[in-house]
């Protein structure tokens, strides 16, 4: 990743803290002027947004640190810890909302200043939607798990706000105040599901998940195209760690080839991979032809 790209990601993560604080303030004002438990649930989730944005900023700064003696492969996985924490906080917020909604079910109450409160909440939702789209787009482009998780979390907040808006309009239209806490419980269940998904995806990253099928095929094609002079490739392994893709494989060459000649092939393959795949790390183990796994006589460089 280039230095400007790193700075852009860190800048977005930093600004997210202040956006989250502003949205949280608007949502608590909306709850305060209405007394709606559904709006309270929406505001409560925004506290999680502030904590999660702060954690994401810390994790992104750590993940961008260069490799050192204690972390020779870099600090890429720091972002996954932030994403796991965010998932846990989402689940916690959902449980708190359910507890509040359960209490409100026993004593539903009428709203105060409902239109003003809904208007304020709509403004907060619009700000969140614009910011979430920006974070998700940047996170995917730069392969930043923390930034993407933060954007997805905010997007669930947007969905929550839309659901709350529709539900509270129904309350105003029908006068059925019990819909308010019931709506809060539905919001909480949706938040629980989103939190579970964020945790699951982040744990997969910590478990050194391999590149997906499309990226793996792309890697195979690049290696085959740039392996002229070699005989075979086998034992290809990949793993994703944050923005970095680690690629390892065995390259079989003629046993009479010099070290310099085999090194030239390796350099060509590595350069091609780096040109096509951002933040790639390549390890190539060169082997003589008696280590080949396929029968001799092939002309193209195959994968065993």
């Amino acid at each position: 990743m280039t230095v400007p790209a790193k700075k852009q990601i860190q800048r977005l993560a930093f600004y997210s803290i202040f956006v989250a604080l502003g949205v949280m303030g608007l949502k608590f004002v909306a709850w305060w002027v209405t007394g709606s438990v559904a709006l309270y649930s929406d505001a409560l989730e925004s506290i999680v947004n502030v904590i999660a944005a702060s954690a994401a900023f810390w994790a992104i700064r750590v993940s961008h640190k260069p490799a050192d003696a204690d972390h020779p492969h870099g600090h890429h996985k720091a972002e996954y810890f932030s994403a796991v924490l965010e998932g846990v906080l989402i689940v916690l917020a959902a449980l708190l909302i359910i507890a509040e909604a359960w209490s409100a079910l026993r004593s539903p109450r009428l709203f105060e200043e409902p239109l003003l409160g809904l208007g304020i909440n709509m403004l907060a939702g619009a700000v969140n939607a614009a910011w979430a789209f920006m974070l998700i787009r940047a996170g995917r482009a730069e392969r930043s798990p923390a930034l993407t998780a933060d954007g997805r979390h905010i997007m669930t907040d947007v969905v929550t706000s839309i659901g709350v808006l529709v539900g509270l309009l129904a309350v105003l239209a029908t006068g059925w105040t019990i819909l308010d806490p019931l709506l809060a419980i539905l919001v909480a269940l949706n938040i629980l599901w989103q939190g579970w998904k964020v945790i699951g995806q982040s744990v997969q990253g910590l478990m050194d998940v391999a590149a997906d099928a499309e990226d793996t095929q792309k890697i195979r094609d690049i290696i085959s195209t740039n392996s002229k002079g070699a005989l075979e490739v086998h034992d290809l392994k990949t793993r994703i760690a944050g923005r970095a893709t680690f690629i390892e494989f065995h390259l079989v060459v003629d046993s009479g080839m010099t070290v310099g000649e085999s090194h030239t092939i390796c350099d060509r393959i590595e350069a091609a991979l780096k040109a096509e795949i951002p933040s790639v790390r390549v390890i190539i183990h060169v082997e003589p032809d008696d280590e080949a796994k396929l029968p001799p006589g092939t002309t193209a460089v195959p994968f065993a």
Side-chain angles (χ1 to χ4, degrees):
M1 181 182 294
T2 62
V3 173
K6 290 181 180 179
K7 288 184 177 180
Q8 180 191 14
I9 287 181
Q10 291 185 16
R11 193 181 302 117
L12 286 172
F14 181 66
Y15 291 159
S16 281
I17 299 173
F18 295 96
V19 172
L21 284 169
V23 169
M24 180 184 72
L26 287 172
K27 289 191 174 185
F28 270 102
V29 169
W31 163 65
W32 180 70
V33 300
T34 62
S36 163
V37 69
L39 288 180
Y40 172 75
S41 71
D42 206 10
L44 192 62
E45 189 187 2
S46 66
I47 297 177
V48 178
N49 290 353
V50 175
I51 299 172
S54 303
F57 176 63
W58 167 84
I60 288 170
R61 284 181 61 87
V62 172
S63 72
H64 284 167
K65 289 183 178 180
D68 53 35
D70 293 328
H71 306 87
H73 295 290
H75 301 75
H76 309 287
K77 288 189 177 181
E79 293 196 38
Y80 288 119
F81 290 103
S82 167
V84 170
L85 172 63
E86 186 158 349
V88 171
L89 290 173
I90 293 171
V91 171
L92 177 61
L95 295 176
L96 291 174
I97 291 168
I98 290 173
E100 180 68 20
W102 184 256
S103 174
L105 272 174
R106 291 176 292 180
S107 55
R109 54 185 179 272
L110 294 173
F111 302 152
E112 301 173 13
E113 301 292 343
L115 296 181
L116 175 61
L118 291 178
I120 295 172
N121 209 59
M122 285 176 61
L123 174 61
V127 172
N128 259 351
W131 193 248
F133 276 119
M134 186 180 299
L135 291 182
I136 292 172
R137 184 175 59 186
R140 287 175 176 170
E142 302 300 340
R143 300 182 66 177
S144 171
L147 209 61
T148 304
D150 199 23
R152 286 176 177 167
H153 179 196
I154 294 173
M155 190 56 70
T156 65
D157 199 16
V158 174
V159 174
T160 297
S161 296
I162 294 172
V164 166
L165 173 64
V166 172
L168 293 185
L169 287 175
V171 172
L172 293 177
T174 62
W176 297 347
T177 54
I178 197 171
L179 290 177
D180 183 31
L182 287 175
L183 177 61
I185 291 175
L186 289 176
V187 167
L189 292 176
N190 175 62
I191 293 171
L192 273 174
W193 172 241
Q194 296 301 327
W196 177 255
K197 288 199 297 185
V198 169
I199 293 172
Q201 291 167 356
S202 304
V203 169
Q204 280 280 30
L206 290 171
M207 294 293 290
D208 285 339
V209 66
D212 61 29
E214 182 180 348
D215 286 342
T216 299
Q217 186 58 53
K218 179 180 179 181
I219 290 167
R220 291 169 67 95
D221 291 343
I222 293 171
I223 294 172
S224 292
T225 302
N226 294 276
S227 296
K228 184 178 180 180
L231 302 176
E232 179 185 295
V233 176
H234 58 243
D235 292 349
L236 172 66
K237 298 176 183 176
T238 63
R239 67 182 178 93
I240 305 297
R243 300 174 309 281
T245 300
F246 290 84
I247 301 172
E248 178 183 344
F249 60 90
H250 294 189
L251 184 73
V252 178
V253 300
D254 190 290
S255 57
M257 183 177 287
T258 66
V259 172
E261 290 171 334
S262 63
H263 191 265
T264 298
I265 299 173
C266 292
D267 283 347
R268 186 169 64 242
I269 297 171
E270 187 172 352
L273 288 168
K274 288 182 176 179
E276 295 292 331
I277 303 172
S279 301
V280 71
R281 307 288 191 274
V282 185
I283 299 175
I284 305 174
H285 179 67
V286 179
E287 294 181 333
D289 49 21
D290 59 358
E291 295 291 333
K293 294 186 176 182
L294 293 176
T298 53
T299 53
V301 179
F303 276 81

